[in-house]
Amino acid sequence: NAGVTQTPKFRILKIGQSMTLQCAQDMNHNYMYWYRQDPGMGLKLIYYSVGAGITDKGEVPNGYNVSRSTTEDFPLRLELAAPSQTSVYFCASNRPGSTEAFFGQGTRLTVV
Amino acid sequence: DAKTTQPPSMDCAEGRAANLPCNHSTISGNEYVYWYRQIHSQGPQYIIHGLKNNETNEMASLIITEDRKSSTLILPHATLRDTAVYYCIVSAPIAAGNKLTFGGGTRVLVKP
């Protein structure tokens, strides 16, 4: 099993550009999450999903959009990138009722 | 979710036990204590969790006080590979998603 796979690993965007961060898991987990981590800080929840077709906002959703058309995939969309979105983005997943979340290796995004 | 307080950093000698404290004085009856760690900006890794009883697995032991207002993560024989940021998280697994709130964590440096 690959676990949680994030692509790309690194990306540089110009201000105002858009992009989609991809996240896929092969563990048939219903719950998926997107976090961002700024330098020296803990992770903050952006969006989460409890199943295909269901998404909800986390702590810092502004400037982002998500969709969940399949159980496996949970892409994060950045529209009109801003320097404040420079961060490392982590995707995670877990089963309902499970206490262990599995994280991807992260996408390091720089907006210049 | 209840808030947690951890020391920002601590050093530990290789081969010795590392005891990581966490205060969670506002914890509710249905909230679990989770520990995750993050090695060098990789995705966080689950270590252990508990509700009220002490727990042990192959990675660590978790000691929760009787009043559940604090806990200690014990790494029994720290190695250089245990150098990481350790996060203590309090959360209640619920049907609508087990969202984890990460604080600043404790930066642990294991020294030879």
Side-chain angles (χ1 to χ4, degrees):
Chain A
N1 286 348
V4 178
T5 302
Q6 293 185 235
T7 55
K9 288 186 171 52
F10 303 93
R11 183 73 184 268
I12 298 175
L13 277 183
K14 293 184 178 179
I15 295 171
Q17 288 186 320
S18 300
M19 77 164 292
T20 299
L21 282 67
Q22 301 291 344
C23 176
Q25 52 89 12
D26 61 359
M27 297 172 283
N28 202 32
H29 287 170
N30 282 23
Y31 295 172
M32 295 188 74
Y33 313 83
W34 274 106
Y35 291 88
R36 61 175 286 173
Q37 184 175 34
D38 298 333
M41 307 294 286
L43 283 73
K44 293 185 178 180
L45 183 65
I46 305 172
Y47 271 95
Y48 68 99
S49 169
V50 298
I54 305 169
T55 62
D56 208 347
K57 296 178 180 178
E59 183 184 357
V60 289
N62 291 344
Y64 307 95
N65 280 302
V66 293
S67 60
R68 185 93 182 271
S69 57
T70 67
T71 298
E72 294 78 19
D73 300 299
F74 190 39
L76 177 71
R77 178 81 177 164
L78 276 73
E79 304 283 0
L80 299 174
S84 61
Q85 294 178 304
T86 293
S87 192
V88 181
Y89 292 83
F90 290 101
C91 179
S93 72
N94 70 327
R95 288 183 291 105
S98 170
T99 51
E100 179 178 0
F102 294 83
F103 284 79
Q105 289 305 296
T107 294
R108 188 175 298 274
L109 175 69
T110 302
V111 181
V112 296
Chain B
D1 293 339
K3 182 177 172 60
T4 62
T5 303
Q6 299 178 252
S9 65
M10 63 183 295
D11 293 346
C12 175
E14 186 180 18
R16 304 292 295 270
N19 296 317
L20 283 63
C22 179
N23 286 324
H24 31 79
S25 58
T26 61
I27 191 170
S28 300
N30 65 340
E31 289 182 315
Y32 286 72
V33 179
Y34 299 85
W35 284 84
Y36 281 75
R37 73 180 183 184
Q38 189 175 24
I39 297 173
H40 192 52
S41 298
Q42 296 177 14
Q45 175 190 23
Y46 166 85
I47 301 173
I48 198 168
H49 76 279
L51 183 61
K52 55 177 103 172
N53 297 324
N54 297 339
E55 302 288 345
T56 296
N57 63 19
E58 65 277 4
M59 291 181 68
S61 295
L62 174 61
I63 308 297
I64 302 174
T65 58
E66 192 168 343
D67 63 8
R68 302 211 318 127
K69 294 184 176 182
S70 66
S71 61
T72 300
L73 179 74
I74 301 173
L75 308 177
H77 305 287
T79 70
L80 298 179
R81 287 174 294 182
D82 291 323
T83 291
V85 178
Y86 288 77
Y87 296 99
C88 171
I89 300 166
V90 170
S91 180
I94 56 175
N98 183 8
K99 304 181 291 294
L100 303 173
T101 300
F102 289 80
T106 296
R107 189 172 298 274
V108 173
L109 176 61
V110 180
K111 297 182 175 180

